[in-house]
Amino acid sequence: MKSPLDCAALETAMETVHHAGMPGLFAEVRDGEQVWRGAAGVADVATDRPATADMRHRVGSITKTFTAAAVLQQVESGRIALDTPIGRYLPKLVPGERGDAITVRMLINHTSGLAEYLPYAYPSLKAFPALADTGPQSLDDHRLTRFDPAELIEMGVSAAAVGAPGGTPGVYSNTNYLLLGQLLEKVTGTAAERYITRNIIERAGLRDTELPTGPYVNGPHSQLYEAWFGMIDPPRDYSVYDMSWVGPSASLVSTVADLNRFYGMLLAGKIVSPSLLAQMQRTVSIVSQERKTIDYGLGLHPMEGPGQGTFWGHGGTVWGGGALSMTRADGKRQMAVAVNLQRWNRLDASGKPQPHPIDDALATLYRVAMYG
């Protein structure tokens, strides 16, 4: 449980991910007072500009933990109740019987049964999850599109339900978190992004973290390369992109150091109260976007190694970028890793993603970072 950091093993594991095909990656690992930061590969394949550990990065659905924590702050203040139907707060967005049946808690833990809106917002993804029948064309079409969250929510709400409200396993859906953003705006009188910035990001002292309003990443950052299961070859740079397609669900920009600081504070009861943190750690079974059944709490999910204790955190992807940040329950051991290539697995004849050397190399890096 108290293994000191093996810096040489971490360096080797990072380089192995790069040599397996990842253009660039960077990480911070903490064990008590010991901190290791490292990077491998390049931030720009055209110029060979090296990746560095202090780079800002689009961290995707790690945003969900920030949004969930903001909602729970409002639960603590009494403005939101976890088990109150969302229809009482947002009757126009989730009308009728479903608005009466779906609670705030069900949105946060993905058991609402509301469908994912992305295949409707991106026409070339309409066949998702049948990956072989999707294509990347609309990713280019929407580079600078400014989406209206209410319109995206309507796409998800009007689509066929993917489950009964409160039923398990739930199904991971970004529609849930766009609704939570609208809920925050309703009860606080300010845009969700502004509320999260003031009450989560700034209060936690995260100096390199922001919810961007434009398509650019401010400060030193990596380019982001999307392969879309081998259909974009060579992978295309999507680092300039309007993030209104995910908003308070997955638009956050951060650094590996800020992510470790945030999750360390969260698990220490400094972002939400210990009683609400316990609520965040109550898990249910849900089906992830990768079609895997996982345990999921309120904006957090656990990872466990044999005899190593439970880690809590979140992963995330956007077009071209990804990150994973996990902190042990006692807060002593932490890992945050960012990568600049996504959907590197090509599809086999049956349309399923094939194993790739990057998969095993990343799994080894995570194991060394959390348990080594």
Side-chain angles (χ1 to χ4, degrees):
M1 288 284 285
K2 296 184 179 179
S3 306
L5 297 184
D6 187 336
C7 298
L10 285 164
E11 295 276 4
T12 298
M14 291 275 287
E15 289 293 340
T16 300
V17 177
H18 170 53
H19 291 302
M22 180 63 62
L25 67 158
F26 35 102
E28 180 187 86
V29 183
R30 292 177 169 265
D31 191 297
E33 296 300 312
Q34 191 179 2
V35 180
W36 175 87
R37 296 186 186 97
V42 299
D44 187 332
V45 298
T47 65
D48 286 335
R49 175 169 57 93
T52 59
D54 61 347
M55 286 182 159
R56 293 186 174 195
H57 196 68
R58 298 199 192 277
V59 299
S61 286
I62 288 174
T63 313
K64 290 181 171 67
T65 312
F66 286 69
T67 300
V71 171
L72 288 165
Q73 286 183 347
Q74 291 300 301
V75 170
E76 194 156 15
S77 73
R79 293 191 184 96
I80 295 173
L82 277 175
D83 296 309
T84 292
I86 190 62
R88 294 192 194 172
Y89 300 105
L90 302 170
K92 292 182 180 179
L93 290 177
V94 193
E97 292 183 2
R98 281 211 286 180
D100 293 335
I102 296 170
T103 66
V104 175
R105 185 190 302 273
M106 292 173 197
L107 296 175
I108 308 176
N109 69 12
H110 297 292
T111 59
S112 70
L114 293 173
E116 174 62 65
Y117 64 82
L118 281 175
Y120 304 93
Y122 283 77
S124 67
L125 307 186
K126 188 175 182 180
F128 185 86
L131 297 175
D133 298 325
T134 66
Q137 298 87 349
S138 51
L139 274 61
D140 284 312
D141 297 340
H142 287 313
R143 278 180 183 269
L144 300 178
T145 300
R146 195 69 187 164
F147 283 105
D148 177 353
E151 292 179 2
L152 295 175
I153 289 166
E154 185 179 9
M155 294 175 188
V157 172
S158 62
V162 294
T168 54
V171 178
Y172 190 98
S173 171
N174 286 291
T175 305
N176 295 317
Y177 275 74
L178 290 195
L179 276 163
L180 293 171
Q182 295 298 295
L183 173 62
L184 279 170
E185 183 169 341
K186 172 81 171 181
V187 301
T188 66
T190 187
E193 287 84 357
R194 189 173 302 130
Y195 179 86
I196 294 166
T197 298
R198 289 176 179 171
N199 293 278
I200 304 293
I201 295 171
E202 291 178 358
R203 281 192 189 180
L206 309 181
R207 297 181 179 179
D208 292 304
T209 299
E210 65 175 336
L211 289 160
T213 55
Y216 299 97
V217 178
N218 296 319
H221 63 279
S222 174
Q223 310 307 108
L224 303 177
Y225 299 102
E226 179 61 52
W228 196 258
F229 306 103
M231 298 179 206
I232 307 177
D233 189 14
R236 195 170 299 144
D237 179 4
Y238 284 115
S239 52
V240 176
Y241 213 96
D242 189 298
M243 298 303 291
S244 59
W245 65 282
V246 280
S249 178
S251 65
L252 195 74
V253 170
S254 192
T255 61
V256 288
D258 270 7
L259 291 178
N260 279 336
R261 178 178 174 84
F262 168 71
Y263 281 106
M265 293 180 70
L266 180 68
L267 290 172
K270 296 178 180 178
I271 304 291
V272 301
S273 68
S275 62
L276 285 172
L277 175 62
Q279 292 280 337
M280 295 183 80
Q281 293 172 316
R282 283 177 53 188
T283 63
V284 295
S285 177
I286 71 165
V287 178
S288 72
Q289 286 187 316
E290 293 77 32
R291 319 310 291 172
K292 296 176 181 177
T293 301
I294 63 170
D295 293 327
Y296 196 91
L298 300 184
L300 285 175
H301 70 79
M303 288 177 66
E304 296 185 40
Q308 300 289 344
T310 302
F311 283 69
W312 293 91
H314 214 290
T317 69
V318 293
W319 311 136
L324 177 66
S325 187
M326 303 300 296
T327 292
R328 201 167 62 200
D330 64 6
K332 300 286 179 62
R333 185 75 174 231
Q334 296 190 274
M335 169 196 79
V337 178
V339 299
N340 66 2
L341 172 69
Q342 280 302 304
R343 284 158 284 272
W344 52 78
N345 305 84
R346 292 178 180 268
L347 304 179
D348 63 19
S350 67
K352 294 181 180 179
Q354 294 178 301
H356 191 286
I358 290 175
D359 302 323
D360 288 339
L362 272 176
T364 298
L365 172 60
Y366 299 152
R367 187 168 60 250
V368 172
M370 290 194 287
Y371 312 126

